[in-house]
Amino acid sequence: MQKIIILDFGSQTTQLIGRRVRELDTFCEIMPYNKYPEDDSDVIGVILSGSPFSVHDPEGFKPDLSRFVGRLPVLGICYGAQYYSYSNGGKVEKTNTREYGRANLAFIDKENRLFKGFDDNSQVWMSHGDSITAIPSDCKCIASTADVKYAAYCSEKAPVWAVQFHPEVFHTLQGSLLLKNFVVDICGSKQDWSAASFVDTTVRELKEQLGDDKVILGLSGGVDSSVCAVLLNKAIGKNLTCIFVDHGMLRKNEFRDVMHDYECLGLNVIGVDASEKFFGDLAGVTDPEQKRKIIGRDFVEVFNAEAKKQTGAKWLAQGTIYPDRIESLNITGKVIKSHHNVGGLPEEMHLSLCEPLKWLFKDEVRRVGRSLGMPDHLINRHPFPGPGLAVRILGDITPEKVRILQDADDIYIRHMREYTMPDGTKLYDNIWQAGTILLSTVKSVGVMGDERTYEHPVALRAVTSTDAMTADWAHLPYDFMAKVSNEIINKVKGVNRVCYDISSKPPSTIEWE
């Protein structure tokens, strides 16, 4: 299968490059800058990502590009463009004309294949401290801004193109066109990567891989594990056993509702209520990372005990998706955060790992779900953290705090599902992720009737995003927020104040813990 290799130099938008390439119905793989594959017979092009480093930094990543330069089309983006110039006789310097944010291309060589179809003065997004002040002798300038002469250049000998702006981000208005010009026109992608083709290929591969072996799968109720289960069920049917563990920190009535959904999908599901164990082990714990580790450990123990009853099982299936694997370890090998999906069961179980969604981004998982005929309310569910409401309660966890948060969150999400926008869509479907946070370490004064209250505030969170790598706070309608706030304060005992979080990512994260 054809693929584009994206070499990751540590940019926070590297995943976004991958998503943009996938949107062109082209398979791509993101690899560390120094892990170019030994066998590249199926590679049709290489993209060099941006980086937080300067090419002059001692710790900056400086790989040998000779394995593919001259043989395959190459596109350098930001650091990638600077590094290619730096390593081939050009100059990269700190200047007084650094660019951050929006800029316009004052000069564009529209005869160059990379800029085919571009408009005059096309807007791009810059984010670089250094600037290319001289390009290699075999290269020529193909785009400039008012301040940066070499906004883009190409080699006249090797198939190399380079841009100092970021075509992958939304604010580069014709960035998708530029990537299409590179991936499809220059690299020659056949554009045969799609959700439907993925399902057909993966079902065939799963049948070959698993044969008549029995498989167990841990379900979370979320999109990823649900799609994974339906895909496996299509491949191996009755040989799949799903285990859904209720740790007591799911949304209100979620265990009951999701079990019903799974039964309607024809899945073989075992539900386990282990909330008492989880609450006991979390008692008094306030550190967010410790909460995650305890929940992860307990999940493995509960799942392990139930899985051992499934005699003859040889495989553990997980709904791990591509961002899970990229986020859990960065290219220096340092853990960014504990992830609830990446890992496995104790070695004594001797189970092999099956991860059929491991190459997919979240939006691709949803497309696969639709092609499998799954209902929209399952496919369009917002992402939900593996530790559940435990990381949406500041401070220690108790059943009463979970009850308060479940009730408040149920009102918020229910109204979001019901609220119709001017264009006829539901508000819920316009939001990437929404949830309620209980500020249980804080109490605020209020007045109800003739009495003074001293209860907890809750914070509402809603963000828009395409991949969760970056996110902006959602501008919710005032009438919607007023209705939600009023109902929460009137109906949820223990809450007397509602706030709205207007922080974007970065610098904030989507979750509070």
Side-chain angles (χ1 to χ4, degrees), residues 231-249:
L231 187 62
L232 278 163
N233 189 55
K234 184 177 177 68
I236 62 172
K238 60 181 175 56
N239 283 338
L240 172 68
T241 298
C242 303
I243 300 172
F244 184 22
V245 176
D246 180 6
H247 50 38
M249 285 149 284

Side-chain angles (χ1 to χ4, degrees), residues 407-421 425-429 460 476-477 479-488 491:
D407 288 347
D409 187 69
D410 183 62
I411 292 169
Y412 182 36
I413 300 301
R414 175 168 49 81
H415 279 292
M416 187 171 281
R417 289 185 181 277
E418 295 171 353
Y419 190 92
T420 302
M421 301 293 285
T425 61
K426 294 299 183 182
L427 177 58
Y428 184 90
D429 294 330
L460 307 181
L476 300 180
D479 61 329
F480 165 80
M481 289 197 288
K483 189 172 185 179
V484 169
S485 174
N486 186 61
E487 187 168 337
I488 288 175
K491 292 186 177 181

Side-chain angles (χ1 to χ4, degrees), residues 432-496:
W432 170 267
Q433 186 171 340
T436 310
I437 298 91
L438 177 63
L439 310 186
S440 68
T441 57
V442 177
K443 282 194 172 182
S444 66
V445 67
V447 175
M448 292 186 179
D450 294 326
E451 295 183 0
R452 186 177 292 265
T453 62
Y454 199 52
E455 296 178 328
H456 299 296
V458 295
L460 307 181
R461 181 77 159 135
V463 299
T464 57
S465 182
T466 55
D467 54 15
M469 297 302 293
T470 60
D472 196 8
W473 61 277
H475 295 228
L476 300 180
Y478 285 170
D479 61 329
F480 165 80
M481 289 197 288
K483 189 172 185 179
V484 169
S485 174
N486 186 61
E487 187 168 337
I488 288 175
I489 291 172
N490 285 333
K491 292 186 177 181
V492 181
K493 184 179 179 181
V495 175
N496 68 352

Side-chain angles (χ1 to χ4, degrees), residues 83-380:
Y83 179 68
Y84 182 83
S85 178
Y86 170 82
S87 58
N88 285 276
K91 285 186 178 181
V92 178
E93 300 177 290
K94 292 191 180 299
T95 70
N96 295 323
T97 57
R98 296 185 298 173
E99 285 196 341
Y100 294 96
R102 293 176 179 85
N104 293 91
L105 298 179
F107 159 70
I108 305 172
D109 180 358
K110 295 184 182 180
E111 297 299 314
N112 191 278
R113 288 190 289 169
L114 192 67
F115 288 106
K116 185 178 70 175
F118 259 59
D119 299 330
D120 292 336
N121 299 309
S122 187
Q123 178 181 294
V124 297
W125 184 263
M126 295 285 191
S127 181
H128 57 92
D130 294 346
S131 192
I132 297 169
T133 56
I135 55 178
S137 59
D138 66 321
C139 294
K140 68 174 183 176
C141 177
I142 55 175
S144 306
T145 69
D147 295 319
V148 175
K149 180 178 180 179
Y150 300 111
Y153 67 89
C154 72
S155 169
E156 297 184 285
K157 290 172 56 180
V160 173
W161 288 260
V163 295
Q164 286 202 89
F165 54 87
H166 287 270
E168 70 274 20
V169 303
F170 174 78
H171 298 296
T172 295
L173 299 185
Q174 293 185 287
S176 295
L177 175 60
L178 185 147
L179 290 172
K180 178 179 182 293
N181 289 342
F182 178 73
V183 171
V184 179
D185 296 345
I186 294 174
C187 296
S189 169
K190 296 177 182 177
Q191 296 185 281
D192 53 6
W193 168 263
S194 66
S197 68
F198 173 84
V199 170
D200 292 341
T201 301
T202 304
V203 167
R204 183 172 63 251
E205 290 175 349
L206 287 171
K207 286 180 177 179
E208 294 173 357
Q209 177 187 26
L210 303 174
D212 292 326
D213 292 348
K214 292 184 178 180
V215 179
I216 52 176
L217 166 67
L219 287 170
S220 68
V223 177
D224 303 336
S225 66
S226 299
V227 172
C228 182
V230 174
L231 187 62
L232 278 163
N233 189 55
K234 184 177 177 68
I236 62 172
K238 60 181 175 56
N239 283 338
L240 172 68
T241 298
C242 303
I243 300 172
F244 184 22
V245 176
D246 180 6
H247 50 38
M249 285 149 284
L250 300 173
R251 282 177 159 149
K252 188 174 183 178
N253 300 323
E254 186 167 24
F255 185 68
R256 179 198 68 192
D257 295 344
V258 170
M259 284 294 292
H260 175 73
D261 283 334
Y262 287 152
E263 290 169 5
C264 291
L265 287 169
L267 299 177
N268 175 27
V269 184
I270 298 169
V272 182
D273 181 359
S275 54
E276 186 174 341
K277 172 179 175 58
F278 282 85
F279 280 122
D281 291 347
L282 286 167
V285 178
T286 60
D287 179 72
E289 187 67 6
Q290 193 63 20
K291 290 181 191 177
R292 288 179 179 272
K293 288 181 177 178
I294 290 171
I295 291 171
R297 181 201 67 202
D298 282 6
F299 176 85
V300 167
E301 290 178 3
V302 173
F303 189 92
N304 184 20
E306 191 61 43
K308 283 183 176 178
K309 300 175 186 177
Q310 309 305 312
T311 57
K314 295 183 178 180
W315 295 85
L316 166 69
Q318 288 191 152
T320 309
I321 65 175
Y322 204 21
D324 294 341
R325 299 190 294 135
I326 298 171
E327 282 187 354
S328 295
L329 288 175
N330 68 15
I331 59 177
T332 63
K334 295 179 181 178
V335 175
I336 296 172
K337 69 174 182 179
S338 297
H339 198 282
H340 65 277
N341 244 0
V342 179
L345 292 179
E347 292 182 4
E348 65 266 19
M349 288 198 67
H350 304 295
L351 293 175
S352 299
L353 194 60
C354 176
E355 298 174 305
L357 306 181
K358 65 182 180 180
W359 293 110
L360 300 186
F361 290 99
K362 177 73 77 174
D363 54 332
E364 292 175 319
V365 174
R366 289 194 168 104
R367 289 202 293 271
V368 167
R370 290 188 185 94
S371 71
L372 288 166
M374 294 176 63
D376 283 344
H377 74 272
L378 268 181
I379 296 169
N380 295 330

